[in-house]
Amino acid sequence: MSCAPGDPLDLTLLQGGLETRVFGRVGIEHFLTTGSTNDVAKEFAAGGALEGTLVIAESQSKGRGRLGRSWYSPPGTGLYFSIVLWPQMDLSLFPMITLLAGTAVAQAVEETTGLCPDIKWPNDLLLEGKKVAGILTELCGELNSPRVILGIGINTHTRKEEFPPELREIATSLSLSGARKVCRTKLLQSILGHLENWYDRFKRGESEAMLASWRKRCRMIGSWAKIESGEDIFSGRILDIDEDGSLLLQDEAGQVQKILSGEILGTAGHEE
Ligand code: BTN
């Protein structure tokens, strides 16, 4: 696939080369601009959109991140999209969807640019220690059969001076981190392929290979870390992730804490 100058998203090329069954095939809604693709996807889900429906925007005016943060989403320099999922399974396993999405995006970045992002639990993709992509997984619909809206944002072409000052030292883009040629169409195609593969296996209860791939990409395993989870702050050594996607942290007394959700505030060192 050759990419045109300016890197426009080419949905015909995208669909022509998709190796998926449903993701990106059952419906694509493409907006020049919208508030948040997650919100639009929620509306489609409420209206009965099929699993795999893709909502993509060239820019977002109210792009959202985790923990009430906003997601910087200007036109032409990123990929912002959401997928409607209907996993029909135990709510406790939903954090796994964030993990499998992070793994899929990291694989696709590697495949299409040669760069190898680090994964920071639960959902950040980092290059050179700076955030290049994030994932926002939200539930909606009936409690007994909820839909999951999987939102993914990737900084593809942003130049340093284009980031707002508060993001300049903590965010990066694929091109800023050295990708020579970034093609959003190809990147999205690759993400959808990996995503559907891991998601199908997850639904069959086969997540071991995905977790192994995730662990390989999370260099923080073994490091000492400070983690904020709700009102609590935990410190300890990151041991692993559990089979449900939670983080296992060993404190100084040797106790292992299972952290279901939260954010790593900082890490130090690596113990073999
Ligand atoms: C995070 O790292 O905090 C998550 C960022 C998720 C951003 C994406 S962009 C597409 C989708 N729509 C949104 O409003 N947010 C997600």
Short mmCIF file of all heavy atoms in Angstrom, two decimals, residues 128-169:
data_model
loop_
_atom_site.label_atom_id
_atom_site.label_comp_id
_atom_site.label_asym_id
_atom_site.label_seq_id
_atom_site.Cartn_x
_atom_site.Cartn_y
_atom_site.Cartn_z
N GLU A 128 10.41 6.07 23.88
CA GLU A 128 11.44 6.88 24.57
C GLU A 128 10.87 7.47 25.87
O GLU A 128 11.13 8.63 26.20
CB GLU A 128 11.94 8.00 23.66
CG GLU A 128 12.46 7.48 22.33
CD GLU A 128 12.60 8.56 21.28
OE1 GLU A 128 11.63 9.31 21.02
OE2 GLU A 128 13.68 8.66 20.72
N GLY A 129 10.04 6.72 26.55
CA GLY A 129 9.49 7.15 27.83
C GLY A 129 8.35 8.15 27.73
O GLY A 129 7.82 8.61 28.75
N LYS A 130 7.93 8.49 26.50
CA LYS A 130 6.85 9.46 26.34
C LYS A 130 5.62 8.78 25.73
O LYS A 130 5.76 7.87 24.92
CB LYS A 130 7.30 10.61 25.44
CG LYS A 130 8.44 11.41 26.04
CD LYS A 130 8.83 12.53 25.13
CE LYS A 130 9.89 13.40 25.78
NZ LYS A 130 10.24 14.55 24.95
N LYS A 131 4.46 9.31 26.07
CA LYS A 131 3.22 8.65 25.65
C LYS A 131 2.93 8.91 24.16
O LYS A 131 2.88 10.06 23.72
CB LYS A 131 2.07 9.16 26.51
CG LYS A 131 0.76 8.49 26.24
CD LYS A 131 -0.11 8.52 27.47
CE LYS A 131 -1.54 8.16 27.17
NZ LYS A 131 -2.33 7.97 28.38
N VAL A 132 2.70 7.84 23.43
CA VAL A 132 2.39 7.97 22.00
C VAL A 132 0.96 7.53 21.70
O VAL A 132 0.38 7.96 20.70
CB VAL A 132 3.42 7.20 21.14
CG1 VAL A 132 3.28 5.69 21.32
CG2 VAL A 132 3.34 7.56 19.67
N ALA A 133 0.39 6.71 22.58
CA ALA A 133 -0.97 6.23 22.33
C ALA A 133 -1.64 5.89 23.65
O ALA A 133 -0.96 5.57 24.64
CB ALA A 133 -0.94 5.00 21.42
N GLY A 134 -2.97 5.97 23.65
CA GLY A 134 -3.73 5.62 24.86
C GLY A 134 -5.03 4.93 24.49
O GLY A 134 -5.51 5.02 23.34
N ILE A 135 -5.58 4.23 25.46
CA ILE A 135 -6.79 3.42 25.23
C ILE A 135 -7.82 3.74 26.31
O ILE A 135 -7.47 3.77 27.49
CB ILE A 135 -6.42 1.92 25.26
CG1 ILE A 135 -5.50 1.61 24.07
CG2 ILE A 135 -7.65 1.03 25.24
CD1 ILE A 135 -4.61 0.43 24.28
N LEU A 136 -9.02 3.98 25.88
CA LEU A 136 -10.10 4.27 26.83
C LEU A 136 -11.22 3.25 26.61
O LEU A 136 -11.89 3.27 25.58
CB LEU A 136 -10.63 5.69 26.59
CG LEU A 136 -11.79 6.15 27.48
CD1 LEU A 136 -11.33 6.29 28.93
CD2 LEU A 136 -12.33 7.50 26.99
N THR A 137 -11.40 2.36 27.59
CA THR A 137 -12.42 1.33 27.47
C THR A 137 -13.60 1.70 28.37
O THR A 137 -13.41 1.91 29.57
CB THR A 137 -11.84 -0.03 27.95
OG1 THR A 137 -10.55 -0.19 27.38
CG2 THR A 137 -12.70 -1.19 27.51
N GLU A 138 -14.78 1.81 27.80
CA GLU A 138 -15.95 2.22 28.58
C GLU A 138 -17.10 1.24 28.37
O GLU A 138 -17.25 0.68 27.28
CB GLU A 138 -16.39 3.63 28.17
CG GLU A 138 -15.32 4.68 28.46
CD GLU A 138 -15.75 6.09 28.08
OE1 GLU A 138 -16.15 6.31 26.92
OE2 GLU A 138 -15.70 6.96 28.94
N LEU A 139 -17.88 1.07 29.44
CA LEU A 139 -19.05 0.19 29.36
C LEU A 139 -20.30 1.02 29.08
O LEU A 139 -20.40 2.15 29.54
CB LEU A 139 -19.28 -0.50 30.71
CG LEU A 139 -18.29 -1.57 31.12
CD1 LEU A 139 -18.61 -2.04 32.53
CD2 LEU A 139 -18.35 -2.74 30.15
N CYS A 140 -21.23 0.47 28.36
CA CYS A 140 -22.51 1.15 28.19
C CYS A 140 -23.60 0.11 27.96
O CYS A 140 -23.32 -1.08 27.77
CB CYS A 140 -22.45 2.16 27.04
SG CYS A 140 -22.20 1.44 25.43
N GLY A 141 -24.84 0.56 28.02
CA GLY A 141 -25.96 -0.36 27.76
C GLY A 141 -26.39 -1.10 29.02
O GLY A 141 -26.08 -0.70 30.13
N GLU A 142 -27.12 -2.19 28.82
CA GLU A 142 -27.69 -2.95 29.93
C GLU A 142 -26.61 -3.63 30.75
O GLU A 142 -25.65 -4.17 30.18
CB GLU A 142 -28.60 -4.07 29.37
CG GLU A 142 -29.70 -3.58 28.45
CD GLU A 142 -30.74 -2.77 29.20
OE1 GLU A 142 -31.10 -3.17 30.32
OE2 GLU A 142 -31.17 -1.73 28.67
N LEU A 143 -26.81 -3.64 32.09
CA LEU A 143 -25.81 -4.28 32.96
C LEU A 143 -25.67 -5.78 32.71
O LEU A 143 -24.59 -6.35 32.84
CB LEU A 143 -26.17 -4.05 34.42
CG LEU A 143 -25.30 -3.04 35.19
CD1 LEU A 143 -25.64 -3.06 36.65
CD2 LEU A 143 -23.81 -3.32 34.96
N ASN A 144 -26.79 -6.42 32.34
CA ASN A 144 -26.71 -7.87 32.14
C ASN A 144 -26.16 -8.25 30.77
O ASN A 144 -25.85 -9.41 30.51
CB ASN A 144 -28.07 -8.54 32.39
CG ASN A 144 -29.12 -7.96 31.46
OD1 ASN A 144 -28.83 -7.03 30.69
ND2 ASN A 144 -30.33 -8.49 31.53
N SER A 145 -26.00 -7.27 29.90
CA SER A 145 -25.38 -7.56 28.61
C SER A 145 -24.77 -6.27 28.03
O SER A 145 -25.21 -5.76 27.00
CB SER A 145 -26.45 -8.13 27.66
OG SER A 145 -25.89 -8.43 26.43
N PRO A 146 -23.75 -5.75 28.72
CA PRO A 146 -23.23 -4.44 28.33
C PRO A 146 -22.43 -4.48 27.03
O PRO A 146 -21.86 -5.52 26.66
CB PRO A 146 -22.31 -4.08 29.50
CG PRO A 146 -21.93 -5.37 30.11
CD PRO A 146 -23.03 -6.33 29.86
N ARG A 147 -22.41 -3.35 26.36
CA ARG A 147 -21.50 -3.16 25.23
C ARG A 147 -20.23 -2.53 25.80
O ARG A 147 -20.27 -1.83 26.82
CB ARG A 147 -22.08 -2.20 24.20
CG ARG A 147 -23.44 -2.60 23.66
CD ARG A 147 -23.35 -3.89 22.87
NE ARG A 147 -24.56 -4.12 22.09
CZ ARG A 147 -25.64 -4.76 22.52
NH1 ARG A 147 -25.67 -5.28 23.74
NH2 ARG A 147 -26.68 -4.93 21.74
N VAL A 148 -19.13 -2.77 25.13
CA VAL A 148 -17.88 -2.12 25.50
C VAL A 148 -17.49 -1.21 24.35
O VAL A 148 -17.54 -1.62 23.18
CB VAL A 148 -16.77 -3.17 25.74
CG1 VAL A 148 -15.43 -2.50 25.96
CG2 VAL A 148 -17.11 -4.04 26.94
N ILE A 149 -17.15 0.01 24.69
CA ILE A 149 -16.65 0.92 23.66
C ILE A 149 -15.14 1.02 23.86
O ILE A 149 -14.66 1.45 24.91
CB ILE A 149 -17.30 2.32 23.78
CG1 ILE A 149 -18.83 2.22 23.75
CG2 ILE A 149 -16.77 3.23 22.67
CD1 ILE A 149 -19.44 1.62 22.50
N LEU A 150 -14.43 0.59 22.85
CA LEU A 150 -12.97 0.60 22.91
C LEU A 150 -12.45 1.78 22.09
O LEU A 150 -12.58 1.80 20.88
CB LEU A 150 -12.44 -0.73 22.35
CG LEU A 150 -10.93 -0.87 22.22
CD1 LEU A 150 -10.26 -0.80 23.57
CD2 LEU A 150 -10.60 -2.19 21.55
N GLY A 151 -11.91 2.77 22.78
CA GLY A 151 -11.43 3.98 22.09
C GLY A 151 -9.91 4.01 22.07
O GLY A 151 -9.26 3.76 23.10
N ILE A 152 -9.35 4.32 20.92
CA ILE A 152 -7.89 4.32 20.78
C ILE A 152 -7.45 5.64 20.15
O ILE A 152 -8.02 6.10 19.16
CB ILE A 152 -7.44 3.13 19.89
CG1 ILE A 152 -7.84 1.81 20.58
CG2 ILE A 152 -5.93 3.18 19.64
CD1 ILE A 152 -7.50 0.56 19.82
N GLY A 153 -6.45 6.25 20.76
CA GLY A 153 -5.88 7.49 20.22
C GLY A 153 -4.38 7.31 20.03
O GLY A 153 -3.69 6.83 20.93
N ILE A 154 -3.89 7.68 18.85
CA ILE A 154 -2.44 7.55 18.56
C ILE A 154 -1.95 8.86 17.96
O ILE A 154 -2.54 9.38 17.01
CB ILE A 154 -2.17 6.40 17.55
CG1 ILE A 154 -2.83 5.10 18.03
CG2 ILE A 154 -0.66 6.19 17.34
CD1 ILE A 154 -2.78 3.98 17.00
N ASN A 155 -0.87 9.38 18.50
CA ASN A 155 -0.23 10.55 17.90
C ASN A 155 0.66 10.03 16.77
O ASN A 155 1.66 9.36 17.04
CB ASN A 155 0.63 11.30 18.91
CG ASN A 155 -0.14 11.68 20.16
OD1 ASN A 155 -1.31 12.04 20.07
ND2 ASN A 155 0.50 11.60 21.31
N THR A 156 0.28 10.32 15.55
CA THR A 156 1.06 9.76 14.44
C THR A 156 2.09 10.76 13.89
O THR A 156 3.25 10.43 13.73
CB THR A 156 0.12 9.30 13.28
OG1 THR A 156 -0.73 10.39 12.92
CG2 THR A 156 -0.72 8.11 13.71
N HIS A 157 1.65 11.99 13.60
CA HIS A 157 2.53 12.94 12.91
C HIS A 157 2.84 14.21 13.70
O HIS A 157 3.46 15.12 13.16
CB HIS A 157 1.88 13.40 11.60
CG HIS A 157 1.62 12.28 10.62
ND1 HIS A 157 2.58 11.78 9.79
CD2 HIS A 157 0.50 11.58 10.35
CE1 HIS A 157 2.08 10.82 9.04
NE2 HIS A 157 0.81 10.67 9.36
N THR A 158 2.36 14.30 14.94
CA THR A 158 2.49 15.57 15.70
C THR A 158 3.95 16.00 15.83
O THR A 158 4.80 15.18 16.19
CB THR A 158 1.89 15.38 17.12
OG1 THR A 158 0.89 14.38 17.08
CG2 THR A 158 1.37 16.69 17.66
N ARG A 159 4.22 17.27 15.54
CA ARG A 159 5.57 17.81 15.79
C ARG A 159 5.62 18.36 17.21
O ARG A 159 4.58 18.75 17.75
CB ARG A 159 5.89 18.92 14.77
CG ARG A 159 6.08 18.38 13.36
CD ARG A 159 6.71 19.44 12.50
NE ARG A 159 5.87 20.65 12.51
CZ ARG A 159 5.10 21.04 11.52
NH1 ARG A 159 5.04 20.33 10.43
NH2 ARG A 159 4.39 22.16 11.60
N LYS A 160 6.82 18.42 17.77
CA LYS A 160 6.95 18.80 19.18
C LYS A 160 6.25 20.13 19.48
O LYS A 160 5.50 20.25 20.45
CB LYS A 160 8.42 18.86 19.58
CG LYS A 160 8.60 19.08 21.06
CD LYS A 160 9.97 18.73 21.55
CE LYS A 160 9.98 18.95 23.07
NZ LYS A 160 11.14 18.47 23.73
N GLU A 161 6.50 21.11 18.61
CA GLU A 161 5.94 22.45 18.89
C GLU A 161 4.42 22.48 18.74
O GLU A 161 3.77 23.44 19.18
CB GLU A 161 6.62 23.52 18.02
CG GLU A 161 6.40 23.40 16.51
CD GLU A 161 7.34 22.42 15.82
OE1 GLU A 161 8.02 21.62 16.50
OE2 GLU A 161 7.39 22.44 14.57
N GLU A 162 3.85 21.44 18.11
CA GLU A 162 2.38 21.41 17.97
C GLU A 162 1.68 20.95 19.25
O GLU A 162 0.50 21.23 19.44
CB GLU A 162 1.98 20.47 16.82
CG GLU A 162 2.32 21.05 15.46
CD GLU A 162 2.09 20.04 14.35
OE1 GLU A 162 2.27 18.82 14.58
OE2 GLU A 162 1.77 20.47 13.24
N PHE A 163 2.38 20.20 20.10
CA PHE A 163 1.76 19.77 21.36
C PHE A 163 1.58 20.99 22.26
O PHE A 163 2.43 21.88 22.27
CB PHE A 163 2.65 18.77 22.10
CG PHE A 163 2.59 17.36 21.58
CD1 PHE A 163 3.71 16.77 21.01
CD2 PHE A 163 1.43 16.61 21.69
CE1 PHE A 163 3.67 15.46 20.54
CE2 PHE A 163 1.38 15.29 21.22
CZ PHE A 163 2.50 14.73 20.64
N PRO A 164 0.47 21.04 23.02
CA PRO A 164 0.34 22.11 24.02
C PRO A 164 1.54 22.02 24.99
O PRO A 164 2.05 20.91 25.23
CB PRO A 164 -0.96 21.78 24.74
CG PRO A 164 -1.64 20.72 23.95
CD PRO A 164 -0.64 20.09 23.05
N PRO A 165 2.00 23.17 25.53
CA PRO A 165 3.19 23.19 26.37
C PRO A 165 3.20 22.11 27.46
O PRO A 165 4.23 21.48 27.70
CB PRO A 165 3.18 24.59 26.99
CG PRO A 165 2.35 25.40 26.08
CD PRO A 165 1.39 24.49 25.38
N GLU A 166 2.03 21.85 28.07
CA GLU A 166 2.01 20.90 29.19
C GLU A 166 2.23 19.45 28.73
O GLU A 166 2.50 18.56 29.54
CB GLU A 166 0.71 21.04 30.00
CG GLU A 166 -0.58 20.62 29.31
CD GLU A 166 -1.18 21.71 28.39
OE1 GLU A 166 -0.49 22.71 28.09
OE2 GLU A 166 -2.35 21.54 27.98
N LEU A 167 2.11 19.21 27.41
CA LEU A 167 2.31 17.83 26.92
C LEU A 167 3.69 17.65 26.28
O LEU A 167 4.13 16.52 26.05
CB LEU A 167 1.25 17.48 25.87
CG LEU A 167 -0.21 17.41 26.34
CD1 LEU A 167 -1.12 17.00 25.18
CD2 LEU A 167 -0.36 16.40 27.49
N ARG A 168 4.37 18.76 26.01
CA ARG A 168 5.59 18.70 25.19
C ARG A 168 6.66 17.75 25.73
O ARG A 168 7.35 17.10 24.96
CB ARG A 168 6.18 20.11 25.05
CG ARG A 168 6.11 20.59 23.62
CD ARG A 168 6.37 22.05 23.48
NE ARG A 168 5.16 22.69 22.98
CZ ARG A 168 4.97 23.99 22.93
NH1 ARG A 168 5.91 24.82 23.38
NH2 ARG A 168 3.85 24.47 22.45
N GLU A 169 6.80 17.68 27.04
CA GLU A 169 7.85 16.83 27.61
C GLU A 169 7.37 15.42 27.93
O GLU A 169 8.18 14.55 28.27
CB GLU A 169 8.44 17.46 28.89
CG GLU A 169 9.06 18.84 28.67
CD GLU A 169 10.07 18.86 27.52
OE1 GLU A 169 10.84 17.88 27.39
OE2 GLU A 169 10.08 19.84 26.75
#
